[in-house]
Each structure stands twice: as C-alpha cells, then as structure tokens.
C-alpha cells in the first residue's frame, strides 16, 4: 500500500527554540523508498496551498518496510529521524 492520506498521525510537535520537531506514528506500513512531504503553509479555501513557509521530504531509506504502529520522530536537523524513544528527543 502506498503512503496516502490516513497513513500517519501526528502525535507530538514542538516549535520552541532548539527543541523544534515533530513525531508521527505509522498507521499503515511504509515501504522502502516511499516518501512523505511535510509542508508548512497556509491552506486556501480552494484546497491548495496559498503560501509555503517551508517543506521537507521524509523517506524510508531502510531496506525493510516500517510497520504500522512505529513512532518516527523528526527534529529540526531533519534526516535521518532519531530512533524511537531517544532520550535526547524533547518533543
């Protein structure tokens, strides 16, 4: 199954000083090579983005699928995301 709407859920975010980042949990498996684009922007009434403040692409660069139920933290340094439950994660 390809990554689509409903494949992830945001579970944490912080945009405070050096602790900037977010975390999501996978609701469906994410296959190797699949990507998710995260966009910081305003949504127009038409459903398109009216302005983009920033964006990043997260890709499963591993050789195996990420199973459903996995926590994937992403910090302000971007990639790769820290492993689950890293004590340095301050989200």
């Amino acid at each position: 199954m390809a990554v689509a709407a409903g494949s992830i859920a945001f579970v944490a975010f912080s945009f405070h000083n050096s602790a900037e980042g977010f975390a999501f949990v996978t609701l469906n498996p994410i296959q190797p090579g699949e990507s998710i684009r995260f966009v910081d922007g305003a949504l127009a009434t038409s459903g398109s983005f009216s302005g983009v403040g920033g964006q990043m692409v997260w890709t499963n660069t591993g050789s195996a699928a990420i199973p459903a139920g996995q926590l994937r933290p992403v910090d302000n340094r971007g990639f790769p995301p820290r492993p689950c439950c890293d004590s340095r994660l301050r989200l």
Side-chain angles (χ1 to χ4, degrees), residues 61-72:
T61 58
S63 60
I66 297 170
Q70 293 290 306
L71 178 65
R72 307 307 297 181

Side-chain angles (χ1 to χ4, degrees), residues 6-30:
S7 294
I8 66 168
F10 287 96
V11 294
F13 69 92
S14 174
F15 295 102
H16 179 71
N17 299 325
S18 63
E20 291 184 356
F22 59 92
F24 63 92
V25 65
T26 56
L27 301 177
N28 297 313
I30 300 178

Side-chain angles (χ1 to χ4, degrees), residues 19-44:
E20 291 184 356
F22 59 92
F24 63 92
V25 65
T26 56
L27 301 177
N28 297 313
I30 300 178
Q31 300 301 318
E34 289 189 321
S35 298
I36 302 170
R37 181 176 303 275
F38 295 99
V39 178
D40 175 12
L43 194 60

